[in-house]
Amino acid sequence: MGREWLRALVDRDDVEVVGLVDLDGSAARAALDHHGLTAVPVGATIGSLVDGARPDCVVDVTAPAAHYPVTMSALSLGLPVLGEKPLAATLAEALELVAAAEVHGRLFMVSQSRRYEPYAASFRALAAGVGPVGILTAAMYRGPRFGGFRDEMDHPLLLDMSVHAFDAARWFLDADPVGVYCEEFNPDWSWYRGAAAASAVFEMTGGARFLYNGSWCSDGHETSWNGEWRASGAAGSVLWDGDGPPAGDPYAVPPDREPGEPGIRGALAEFLAALRTGATPTGECHDNLMTLAMVHAAVESARERRHVRVADVLQAAHGEACRRATGPVLDRLRSWTRLPPPVS
Ligand SMILES: NC(=O)c1ccc[n+]([C@@H]2O[C@H](COP(=O)([O-])OP(=O)(O)OC[C@H]3O[C@@H](n4cnc5c(N)ncnc54)[C@H](O)[C@@H]3O)[C@@H](O)[C@H]2O)c1
């Protein structure tokens, strides 16, 4: 994914790549050389490059377990961060990063690339036209052979993939999660160590239900990576196959805007605009906490086989973050009067 981001960065006239950090220096060097960036330095940490390279911001495309140390280091150096999803590997780490963004007064935005997919905004607008939406469903069935961290991690589908659909559901419904029942499982033939399939029912603010079915070990008749969607509202239904234009009900209102730049390029454009204007972007870390909270509430529900309230999961993670954090980050965590804290 780092190569995808490098291509998106190099293709912009208003961005200069001044350094590339990776534990694997030879991979970083090869990626830079591929774009003719032979003079751009490589390092194993941001700290080792920052004095010479003098970056204005950092794009964190490391594996999820490294999001916390890498983004914390960038924020501590006073650098705004555009990070790949998920916000962090755990909700406690995520809360610490949000507190650090406040302490250092720097933007930390999570790239939820699915919000920028062509036609996602059309589906959202059409769904609003048949609203209020009471039932939103998403189904994603694919059989990718990744190798690497996903084959070995716990909860690969929920942690690394469902986060896209959960975030999209919040955006499509303009609502936040209240509680969830989730079942997670690993079919016999799965090539993953952790559970590669899950079904979840979320209650959202306003009363809508979001029903999710997903599998990462389903060969044949694959859905879009974005999943297949149905929004059912008081005035009709809207279908979206995740790739093409959504099919609206005759009562639905047509979308009022054309799709912008797709995927991570859309997230990058919004991040850069936010740095220039001070606007709060989609995926700003305070807001994105609720997307990650959906993921961890689903994991807890599946593990404990019971209904889980999202507020309880956030509260427990806040307690853990307070036990881990020190100094100004701890003070900031303790100062919050509600979870998630509002954007400051
Ligand atoms: N938006 C999307 O559609 C999408 C698709 C794929 C991956 N992703 C996300 O992108 C991120 C990377 O995924 P990937 O598949 O490219 O993973 P990967 O394992 O292929 O690559 C991760 C890279 O991070 C480097 N790294 C790990 N720890 C580091 C550290 N502490 N400091 C510096 N570098 C470190 C590794 O050496 C490796 O080069 C993940 O967060 C993943 O969820 C998003």
Side-chain angles (χ1 to χ4, degrees), residues 119-262:
Y119 301 116
S122 312
F123 177 71
R124 182 175 187 250
L126 285 165
V130 299
V133 170
I135 307 165
L136 179 69
T137 66
M140 199 232 49
Y141 292 92
R142 297 194 67 95
R145 268 69 171 178
F146 293 110
F149 70 85
R150 295 175 183 85
D151 285 12
E152 297 305 320
M153 70 190 280
D154 292 333
H155 321 291
L157 183 86
L158 284 175
L159 290 182
D160 203 59
M161 187 64 217
S162 307
V163 62
H164 284 298
F166 294 179
D167 182 72
R170 289 182 58 222
W171 188 54
F172 291 149
L173 291 169
D174 200 10
D176 276 323
V178 176
V180 61
Y181 291 98
C182 179
E183 187 156 339
E184 190 189 31
F185 50 101
N186 208 22
D188 281 353
W189 66 84
S190 169
W191 50 93
Y192 298 80
R193 190 187 62 76
S199 294
V201 182
F202 286 92
E203 178 189 349
M204 306 295 286
T205 49
R209 296 298 190 273
F210 167 51
L211 286 67
Y212 173 81
N213 283 306
S215 164
W216 246 356
C217 59
S218 291
D219 288 331
H221 298 288
E222 292 188 331
T223 65
S224 160
W225 274 104
N226 298 321
E228 292 176 351
W229 293 78
R230 169 185 285 266
S232 180
S237 298
V238 185
L239 303 180
W240 183 39
D241 69 6
D243 289 327
D249 186 274
Y251 301 105
V253 181
D256 59 1
R257 81 170 168 91
E258 292 295 311
E261 287 197 85

Side-chain angles (χ1 to χ4, degrees), residues 84-137:
E84 257 297 350
K85 48 55 70 172
L87 203 166
T90 71
L91 204 45
E93 288 180 352
L95 287 161
E96 272 192 78
L97 289 178
V98 172
E102 289 189 7
V103 166
H104 299 289
R106 292 293 180 271
L107 174 62
F108 172 28
M109 168 179 164
V110 179
S111 166
Q112 294 285 174
S113 56
R114 299 305 198 269
R115 292 198 185 198
Y116 306 90
E117 287 302 313
Y119 301 116
S122 312
F123 177 71
R124 182 175 187 250
L126 285 165
V130 299
V133 170
I135 307 165
L136 179 69
T137 66

